[in-house]
Amino acid sequence: EAQLVESGGGLVQPGGSLRLSCAASGFTFSSYGMSWVRQPPGKGLEWVSSISTRGDGTSYADSVKGRFTISRDNAKNTLWLQMNSLKPEDTAVYYCAKEAFWSGSRLRRDPTWGQGTLVNVSS
């Protein structure tokens, strides 16, 4: 049974940094492109970033480009999202997904995404 468990969220001031982690199990992690998706309070799902199976190809939403960095370690079955220069608009529940979404992807929450982790950017 595929399972993704997000962690690392919390309260941070604007301009601060957080590093989110996603622990994967129940599937061959190295065979899947991965993504980070977020849902701001009261809003719909928004694609944030994606990474290829080897980690040598990455993509970012325009809203986070230059501030966020996605990475993975296939030996550890782990995906990360380093978030710098955080803005209040980044406040959301962040999910990881075992699919390489893109800016045009139509997103629908999947049970494998887990509970997500809340990032609250506020002073």
Side-chain angles (χ1 to χ4, degrees), residues 13-33:
Q13 294 186 351
S17 298
L18 280 176
R19 185 176 177 86
L20 307 184
S21 297
C22 171
S25 62
F27 67 100
T28 305
F29 180 71
S30 61
S31 295
Y32 288 81

Side-chain angles (χ1 to χ4, degrees), residues 47-62:
W47 170 72
V48 175
S49 182
S50 61
I51 188 168
S52 62
T53 56
R54 280 179 45 86
D56 55 350
T58 59
S59 296
Y60 300 90
D62 288 341

Side-chain angles (χ1 to χ4, degrees), residues 10 17-18 34 36-37 56 65 67 69 73 75 95 100 104 110 112 119-120:
S17 298
L18 280 176
M34 299 290 293
W36 285 98
V37 175
D56 55 350
K65 194 171 300 180
R67 300 187 297 119
T69 303
D73 187 335
Y95 302 93
D110 189 274
T112 62
V119 173
N120 188 3

Side-chain angles (χ1 to χ4, degrees), residues 2-122:
Q3 185 176 6
L4 301 168
V5 180
E6 301 89 350
S7 62
L11 177 63
V12 62
Q13 294 186 351
S17 298
L18 280 176
R19 185 176 177 86
L20 307 184
S21 297
C22 171
S25 62
F27 67 100
T28 305
F29 180 71
S30 61
S31 295
Y32 288 81
M34 299 290 293
S35 295
W36 285 98
V37 175
R38 68 186 182 186
Q39 185 167 33
K43 298 183 178 181
L45 293 167
E46 176 188 9
W47 170 72
V48 175
S49 182
S50 61
I51 188 168
S52 62
T53 56
R54 280 179 45 86
D56 55 350
T58 59
S59 296
Y60 300 90
D62 288 341
S63 58
V64 307
K65 194 171 300 180
R67 300 187 297 119
F68 290 11
T69 303
I70 190 171
S71 60
R72 67 190 296 163
D73 187 335
N74 288 341
K76 297 181 178 179
N77 286 3
T78 303
L79 177 75
W80 293 280
L81 184 68
Q82 177 66 48
M83 306 185 297
N84 299 325
S85 302
L86 283 163
K87 304 175 180 180
E89 308 93 272
D90 296 318
T91 296
V93 176
Y94 284 71
Y95 302 93
C96 57
K98 60 183 187 71
E99 183 174 353
F101 295 120
W102 310 106
S103 61
S105 296
R106 300 177 70 178
L107 304 175
R108 184 156 66 180
R109 186 176 177 181
D110 189 274
T112 62
W113 292 12
Q115 82 289 345
T117 187
L118 175 62
V119 173
N120 188 3
V121 185
S122 177

